Amino acid sequence: MQIDIRVQQAAFDAAAMQQRLTAGRRDIGALVSFTGLVRDVNERPDVQALTLEHFPGMTEQALEAIARDAGARWPLTGVGVIHRVGRLAPGDPIVLVMVTSAHRRAAFEACDFIMDRLKTRAPFWKKEHTASGDYWVSERQSDHDDAGRWERA
Amino acid sequence: MTLTHLNARGEAHMVDVADKPESRREARARGRIRMQPATLALLAEGGLPKGDVLATARIAGIQAAKRTHELIPLCHALALSKVTLDFELDSAQNCVWVEAFCRLNGRTGVEMEALTAVSVACLTLYDMCKAVDKAMIIDGVQLEEKRGGRSGDFSRQATADTAPAVLDEGASLGETPIVAVRFLAELRERLGEAGTELDPAQLAVADIAGVKRALMTADPRYALLGEGRVLAACNQVMASDTTPVAPGDEVAFFPPVTGG
């Protein structure tokens, strides 16, 4: 299984990732991708920007471990993850997860799984900047509930 | 004293030994691989998944001695007349001692062969046991004794009596390794520092919870580590309260993650 993990400040190009994951292969029947964007409404309604901090070194390892877990659960041919760090504005793409497989069900489920794991296990932290001040975003129970679905399955 | 592998211009070269007289050369080297008591017990019982561990390591060590010149750039190919590997299971120190002995009648010493045999036997032991224990440590690989040749005889025992620089078993080189502690994101901002250091001697229990307690005892500011949910990583892998922490490890504390 091909794994392509990137943590970067710059905007990403989903088409380039698709090219990397599919180039020269004829066994891929499905490609599912998820792109997360920065919303202007979160814990407060007037988010002007957010700053993403991560733990260099551990972040890449954690993302790779998540990709490998997905590969152990579904028959995948490739997993690509790009997560941006630094200062981002509402509307900016923040994360890309792209999964390829011979069949669509595996690709859909693995993509969902990787996002759930990423939100609860990869060392990223968001600080939101609003007109009424800055604050660190709290964890959400719903993210843990979502991630918990895969433990019971 | 000169380094024989450097020529007059200081460049690396192979020493020409054609004119040296042949003499009996012997060398004995030793090393060990430390492991969990349970791993050592499995090894003793022959219960490891890859089978007869010591026999395999012995063959590996002998093969390695014969191929030393392929690994060490300026080493001559030698027709060894004898290579032996001995293993001693030490349940007091939870390790396997590996001893290699090499002999030949020739023009160069065989200490590199003995050291290579010990190293590769240790690596093979690691390979054979890693399925059950990945934290094994190979250390103390050293020449114990050599005989013959222009540079004369050497015995670690004799040297140790006169040279105080030789360290005892288990003693560390230089300063004692510390446990490095890092704080990330909101925790770093609230503490006003990116990290600190901890002397492992301050740990009542050598695990993540022990690190937290030692910090909280040392400085009331660290009470923050006990408030709400604080996650931890040891050497950049997510850890729980009971994850072991050893000198030299890096422990990071941080708030729950909020990426994606």
Side-chain angles (χ1 to χ4, degrees):
Chain A
M1 184 181 72
Q2 186 183 345
I3 295 181
D4 193 316
I5 305 286
R6 291 159 199 241
V7 178
Q8 60 188 47
Q9 289 201 2
F12 51 76
D13 180 355
M17 177 64 88
Q18 174 165 344
Q19 181 62 31
R20 289 197 295 274
L21 292 182
T22 58
R25 300 194 68 136
R26 306 176 67 157
D27 56 343
I28 296 172
L31 181 148
V32 169
S33 90
F34 169 85
T35 302
L37 308 177
V38 179
R39 270 195 316 268
D40 64 356
V41 177
N42 197 30
E43 289 184 18
R44 295 186 198 174
D46 57 343
V47 176
Q48 296 165 338
L50 64 78
T51 304
L52 255 149
E53 177 174 330
H54 76 123
F55 185 4
M58 177 173 172
T59 316
E60 294 82 354
Q61 285 179 44
L63 292 174
E64 183 162 345
I66 293 168
R68 290 200 184 285
D69 280 352
R73 288 175 180 233
W74 291 276
L76 309 179
T77 48
V79 172
V81 179
I82 304 177
H83 205 299
R84 293 178 70 187
V85 292
R87 195 174 172 95
L88 300 170
D92 283 348
I94 178 169
V95 60
L96 172 73
V97 174
M98 191 174 282
V99 178
T100 60
S101 173
H103 302 289
R104 74 179 183 286
R105 183 71 57 211
F108 272 121
E109 289 183 356
C111 189
D112 197 11
F113 167 86
I114 291 168
M115 268 313 295
D116 284 342
R117 280 279 170 100
L118 184 152
K119 286 187 88 78
T120 50
R121 297 195 184 188
F124 293 101
W125 300 274
K126 287 190 190 113
K127 188 182 205 176
E128 292 184 343
H129 309 285
T130 71
S132 53
D134 301 346
Y135 55 89
W136 289 93
V137 174
S138 311
E139 63 179 329
R140 283 213 198 88
Q141 188 52 45
S142 61
D143 287 335
H144 287 281
D145 295 343
D146 287 344
R149 292 180 301 149
W150 306 105
E151 310 307 326
R152 287 190 296 275
Chain B
M1 197 174 287
T2 56
L3 295 172
T4 56
H5 282 137
L6 299 182
N7 65 12
R9 289 201 297 274
E11 299 157 342
H13 79 138
M14 194 163 175
V15 178
D16 185 350
V17 295
D19 297 330
K20 288 170 79 173
E22 284 205 359
S23 66
R24 169 163 291 205
R25 309 298 193 98
E26 291 174 348
R28 197 164 54 82
R30 229 163 122 81
R32 67 172 176 180
I33 176 162
R34 293 188 276 148
M35 57 187 67
Q36 296 295 322
T39 314
L40 191 66
L42 272 177
L43 206 160
E45 293 158 13
L48 284 158
K50 286 193 180 178
D52 192 339
V53 172
L54 297 184
T56 310
R58 176 174 291 114
I59 298 298
I62 293 170
Q63 290 289 85
K66 292 195 287 186
R67 303 181 73 162
T68 301
H69 69 281
E70 292 174 18
L71 299 170
I72 310 298
L74 303 177
C75 205
H76 296 85
L78 302 181
L80 293 165
S81 62
K82 180 182 170 84
V83 182
T84 60
L85 266 288
D86 287 301
F87 301 94
E88 181 194 330
L89 307 190
D90 182 342
S91 56
Q93 295 194 50
N94 291 318
C95 69
V96 178
W97 291 98
V98 179
E99 186 170 300
F101 176 83
C102 296
R103 175 189 290 157
L104 89 165
N105 286 324
R107 299 188 176 93
T108 74
V110 288
E111 56 268 37
M112 289 313 301
E113 282 68 16
L115 286 164
T116 303
V118 168
S119 302
V120 173
C122 284
L123 287 172
T124 304
L125 289 174
Y126 187 98
D127 181 53
M128 298 288 286
C129 303
K130 69 180 189 295
V132 298
D133 187 356
K134 291 187 173 53
M136 290 177 287
I137 296 171
I138 294 169
D139 67 3
V141 176
Q142 57 190 31
L143 182 69
E144 294 294 341
E145 208 176 356
K146 72 157 280 202
R147 269 196 276 275
R150 193 190 56 173
S151 67
D153 296 350
F154 165 86
S155 162
R156 181 164 299 276
Q157 206 55 52
T159 315
D161 294 341
T162 52
V166 174
L167 291 165
D168 282 333
E169 205 69 41
S172 60
L173 289 161
E175 72 266 44
T176 328
I178 47 99
V179 173
V181 181
R182 290 182 67 168
F183 306 114
L184 297 160
E186 188 174 12
L187 199 55
R188 179 194 60 239
E189 285 192 356
R190 291 182 63 191
L191 287 170
E193 65 180 7
T196 182
E197 290 180 350
L198 203 58
D199 177 352
Q202 290 174 260
L203 297 178
V205 184
D207 62 13
I208 295 288
V211 170
K212 263 193 217 178
R213 269 198 299 277
L215 288 169
M216 283 153 75
T217 309
D219 189 332
R221 280 184 312 138
Y222 296 128
L224 273 180
L225 294 171
E227 293 170 14
R229 232 159 71 78
V230 173
L231 305 184
C234 186
N235 298 328
Q236 307 206 327
V237 175
M238 279 288 190
S240 70
D241 272 352
T242 54
T243 302
V245 173
D249 282 352
E250 180 200 69
V251 173
F253 292 107
F254 42 82
V257 302
T258 57

